[in-house]
Amino acid sequence: MMDFAGFIAKDLGLTVGQVKNVISLFEEGATIPFIARYRKEHTGGMDEVALRSVFLKNEELTELDKRKKYIISVIEENGRLTPDLKKEIEECYDKVRLEDIYLPYRPKKATRAQTARNRGLEPLAKIIMSQRCSDLSQIARRFLKGEVLSEKEALEGASDIIAEWIAENPHNRNRIRNSISRHGRLMAKGAASGTKYADYEGYSSPLSRVQPHAFLALQRAESQKILRLSVESDDPGDVNSLLRNTLTHGCPKDCAQIIEDAVIDSYKRLLKPSVISEIMKELKERSDRESISLFSEALRQVLLSAPVSGYSVMAIDPGFRTGCKVVCIDRNGKLIDHDVIYPHQGMSKLTEAADIIEKLLKRHDIGIIALGDGTASRETEQFLRDHVNLGEIKIERVSEQGASIYSASETARKEFPDLDLTFRSAVSIGRRLQDPLAELVKIDPKSIGVGQYQHDVNQVLLKETLDFTVERCVNEVGVNLNTASPDLLAYVSGIGKSLSEKIVAYREEHGKFLSRKDLLKVPRFGAKAFEQASGFLRVPESSNPLDNSAVHPESYSVVEKMASAARIPIKDLLGNEAIISEINPGDFVNGETGLETVKDILEELLKPGRDPRQASEADWRDLTINSTDDIREGMILNGKIVNLTAFGAFVDLGIKTNGLIHISKISRKRISTPADVLRMWQIVRVKVIGIDRERDRISLSMIDL
């Protein structure tokens, strides 16, 4: 078999050495975040995405290798394996071609051809395909036995076998597959008017230009029996090419007619439907991959939203009939008070609600209000601004997506066993403002509300990709060992769910960790876990300042040498730009520590424990806009990006209905996706260019201002 490392290197544009080193590190139990951050010399500085590509490609080739061995064993058991066939299978690294090669040898179900074989007609089919038979009628009569009662039945059975041979020929399949892929069109038929799929009624697109979001929408419409999908491809050249590939010059007329009929039958009944099915499957897989990639990037941007720290927070989960659930949490996210108000049920209730809010604000020294963005959000914000003395206290609207799921989860029940789940939702809203990453890891990434058609894509691939995205974000930011929840710790490199629970249990029993080394006292937390995890964990209470930085414990000796050379304590080296700028990285390179690692150490020493998350945006809403009725074409408004898709970006305008900026209206430059120029929660200036009140849609533009 071809060397995996060489194949992966060629496929991904890497060196063989890089790939071999990465695979070796994986086999040693290293995680992607650890390799990306602390083994740059081994990988040539590959990031997490590149490392995961190697990991996935290696897994794919490993599975392909297993498939090849299985196929070889099946063909060998049937006594049909030749040295040339074995070599062809072993050297094949294309999944589609591999299955094409295997198809003629695959155990057959009850097909028409198999029925004909069972009746002893395969020799007749071979005689016809030899294209040298002089009296086909006389030859066919030799096969009249058993269930074959007539010459016509014999020839029809032979034709069925020939049709299957033609359909299973790898060359034929590849030729037709390429032709349909180039010339075929995806069509949608049916009535979609009055549904959310109205834009797809009469849809027609070349297969090569079908957009992932469109394909997923069409498939959903088909599953709901609103539309019917088909691939139209009736190129006469396809059948002619099969005939040229099958018939030889000088073939007797009666043989030629049977072969020609078999070719047409094979194309219509077997080859074309089979190839279209494969193309549709590949189109679905491509749509899944590209859509999941967009989901992943949007999730990453949400998770890396800037925290609003240093404040006690009042969080409000708004509602009309059931009231607004109000909670107060301290700077560390601990629940300190809760109540319910009914500001939307008459003046007396409104006055009472304002009084409750003002007392809570004063009692707990609240610095900011986190307001859920769901039902009654706008009305509750107006109530706060009009009837509550807020002073300098800001109101921040926070996404409620997934808050109700968290409130009913096992995690929430463990945190607040005696608290009504509606108040748990409010706590989650408040904590999302304080630290989005730490709170959002508690719920399934799919429930955070980014992307479209999440239930239509490959669920296994979606989960794996989104979990990887969460893991990447958690390790990029770093985690406070003494305050992190089990859910957050579980995403730290090398830890996982079981160890995270043991860490928290140890912390609850013995108190705060006073150093990174204390982790080794946790049951079942061994040297390998310490190697993989310690660099991503922060211990502010440690006497060693490096324990609160991204410098890995294996490199502490390097920092000690730097401090010694500068004749200052380590604590005075941290953040000391004047001294750090004078350090020559090459002076500290040795057999264990490479130049890239030393440069990373110096960068970390300049800004120890830095948070990579973006700064929060200022208040952006126009409070005179309360509903779609207040929107007019030509208006220029501020909005916040709340979803990125392949075809555009959805924008919160401060009302119930989000507007859409189509990808063509985002930038004057050509972009492949909205994520090329926009990010989640970004504040943008937009112009209203269309309003469809019947379908509750608002069209926006960033280039027509």
Side-chain angles (χ1 to χ4, degrees), residues 330-559:
D330 68 13
R331 299 182 181 194
N332 297 317
K334 180 182 177 182
L335 176 65
I336 51 179
D337 211 335
H338 64 282
D339 209 329
V340 59
I341 58 174
Y342 300 90
H344 311 302
Q345 297 186 14
M347 185 54 68
S348 63
K349 291 288 187 180
L350 184 150
T351 303
E352 179 186 351
D355 184 55
I356 291 172
I357 293 294
E358 289 187 357
K359 287 179 179 177
L360 290 173
L361 292 175
K362 185 176 181 181
R363 183 186 308 156
H364 301 296
D365 191 23
I366 298 298
I368 194 166
I369 296 174
L371 178 63
D373 66 351
T375 302
S377 177
R378 183 72 193 204
E379 293 80 0
T380 302
E381 180 176 0
Q382 204 67 51
F383 150 72
L384 291 170
R385 294 188 183 279
D386 292 346
H387 300 281
V388 177
N389 181 17
L390 297 175
E392 298 298 317
I393 299 173
K394 286 179 60 178
I395 300 172
E396 286 285 343
R397 290 224 301 181
V398 178
S399 171
E400 291 183 8
Q401 288 284 354
S404 60
I405 293 174
Y406 160 78
S407 68
S409 69
E410 182 181 351
T411 297
R413 290 195 297 272
K414 284 182 179 178
E415 286 190 281
F416 306 106
D418 302 320
L419 190 66
D420 184 84
L421 57 82
T422 55
F423 287 109
R424 294 175 192 164
S425 294
V427 173
S428 181
I429 290 167
R431 287 177 171 177
R432 290 179 188 198
L433 183 64
Q434 290 180 317
D435 192 334
L437 180 59
E439 188 63 22
L440 291 173
V441 295
K442 297 175 183 178
I443 64 173
D444 186 333
K446 289 187 295 184
S447 301
I448 293 175
V450 295
Q452 283 195 319
Y453 308 113
Q454 291 202 30
H455 298 291
D456 301 302
V457 300
N458 182 312
Q459 294 301 295
V460 174
L461 180 59
L462 178 64
K463 180 174 178 11
E464 288 175 352
T465 305
L466 297 188
D467 283 348
F468 165 73
T469 301
V470 177
E471 179 186 45
R472 184 182 175 195
C473 292
V474 168
N475 289 283
E476 184 177 340
V477 172
V479 171
N480 186 324
L481 182 57
N482 285 322
T483 60
S485 67
D487 303 270
L488 186 59
L489 286 167
Y491 282 104
V492 173
S493 165
I495 292 183
K497 181 173 175 56
S498 177
L499 271 182
S500 72
E501 291 173 350
K502 292 184 185 303
I503 290 170
V504 172
Y506 182 90
R507 189 175 70 199
E508 290 174 350
E509 181 179 352
H510 299 278
K512 290 183 177 181
F513 289 92
L514 299 180
S515 72
R516 280 172 168 166
K517 285 184 178 179
D518 284 349
L519 275 166
L520 294 170
K521 299 176 183 177
V522 176
R524 300 184 68 182
F525 197 98
K528 190 65 180 181
F530 184 82
E531 175 197 58
Q532 298 297 307
S534 56
F536 303 103
L537 297 169
R538 308 286 181 263
V539 188
E541 294 81 3
S542 176
S543 58
N544 185 342
L546 296 179
D547 279 352
N548 197 34
S549 74
V551 177
H552 196 282
E554 67 186 10
S555 298
Y556 282 6
S557 60
V558 177
V559 181

Side-chain angles (χ1 to χ4, degrees), residues 147-443:
E147 297 180 3
V148 183
L149 303 177
S150 67
E151 181 183 321
K152 179 182 178 185
E153 287 182 4
L155 293 175
E156 285 178 347
S159 181
D160 287 339
I161 294 172
I162 293 169
E164 188 171 271
W165 286 341
I166 292 167
E168 291 181 347
N169 181 289
H171 178 77
N172 291 340
R173 295 185 71 80
N174 192 51
R175 181 189 292 270
I176 299 304
R177 185 184 295 115
N178 289 338
S179 175
I180 294 177
S181 295
R182 286 196 305 269
H183 305 300
R185 298 185 71 85
L186 180 65
M187 313 285 286
K189 298 176 182 177
S193 300
T195 74
K196 61 182 178 181
Y197 305 108
D199 292 343
Y200 293 103
E201 188 171 320
Y203 178 90
S204 173
S205 170
L207 286 170
S208 58
R209 296 181 184 175
V210 176
Q211 293 297 312
H213 69 273
F215 184 76
L216 294 174
L218 287 164
Q219 278 213 319
R220 179 182 284 185
E222 184 175 48
S223 70
Q224 296 174 7
K225 303 188 184 307
I226 295 172
L227 294 172
R228 298 184 308 280
L229 299 185
S230 63
V231 173
E232 305 293 334
S233 179
D234 292 315
D235 185 353
D238 289 345
V239 174
N240 292 335
S241 70
L242 290 175
L243 286 169
R244 287 194 301 270
N245 191 47
T246 307
L247 278 172
T248 60
H249 182 69
C251 176
K253 185 176 180 181
D254 49 357
C255 277
Q257 186 60 57
I258 288 177
I259 292 173
E260 184 175 339
D261 291 343
V263 166
I264 295 170
D265 174 52
S266 177
Y267 176 75
K268 291 182 177 179
R269 180 172 59 88
L270 301 174
L271 194 49
K272 183 181 175 183
S274 174
V275 166
I276 286 176
S277 178
E278 289 178 6
I279 290 171
M280 291 290 280
K281 181 181 177 184
E282 169 55 32
L283 191 53
K284 173 66 164 63
E285 290 175 353
R286 178 170 65 84
S287 298
D288 284 358
R289 288 193 302 271
E290 294 186 21
S291 297
I292 289 171
S293 178
L294 279 173
F295 299 162
S296 173
E297 178 56 29
L299 174 64
R300 175 175 164 77
Q301 293 181 18
V302 169
L303 294 176
L304 293 181
S305 300
V308 179
S309 56
Y311 295 102
S312 292
V313 174
M314 173 182 286
I316 303 176
D317 185 0
F320 288 118
R321 182 180 58 81
T322 58
C324 302
K325 308 306 183 293
V326 182
V327 300
C328 297
I329 54 179
D330 68 13
R331 299 182 181 194
N332 297 317
K334 180 182 177 182
L335 176 65
I336 51 179
D337 211 335
H338 64 282
D339 209 329
V340 59
I341 58 174
Y342 300 90
H344 311 302
Q345 297 186 14
M347 185 54 68
S348 63
K349 291 288 187 180
L350 184 150
T351 303
E352 179 186 351
D355 184 55
I356 291 172
I357 293 294
E358 289 187 357
K359 287 179 179 177
L360 290 173
L361 292 175
K362 185 176 181 181
R363 183 186 308 156
H364 301 296
D365 191 23
I366 298 298
I368 194 166
I369 296 174
L371 178 63
D373 66 351
T375 302
S377 177
R378 183 72 193 204
E379 293 80 0
T380 302
E381 180 176 0
Q382 204 67 51
F383 150 72
L384 291 170
R385 294 188 183 279
D386 292 346
H387 300 281
V388 177
N389 181 17
L390 297 175
E392 298 298 317
I393 299 173
K394 286 179 60 178
I395 300 172
E396 286 285 343
R397 290 224 301 181
V398 178
S399 171
E400 291 183 8
Q401 288 284 354
S404 60
I405 293 174
Y406 160 78
S407 68
S409 69
E410 182 181 351
T411 297
R413 290 195 297 272
K414 284 182 179 178
E415 286 190 281
F416 306 106
D418 302 320
L419 190 66
D420 184 84
L421 57 82
T422 55
F423 287 109
R424 294 175 192 164
S425 294
V427 173
S428 181
I429 290 167
R431 287 177 171 177
R432 290 179 188 198
L433 183 64
Q434 290 180 317
D435 192 334
L437 180 59
E439 188 63 22
L440 291 173
V441 295
K442 297 175 183 178
I443 64 173

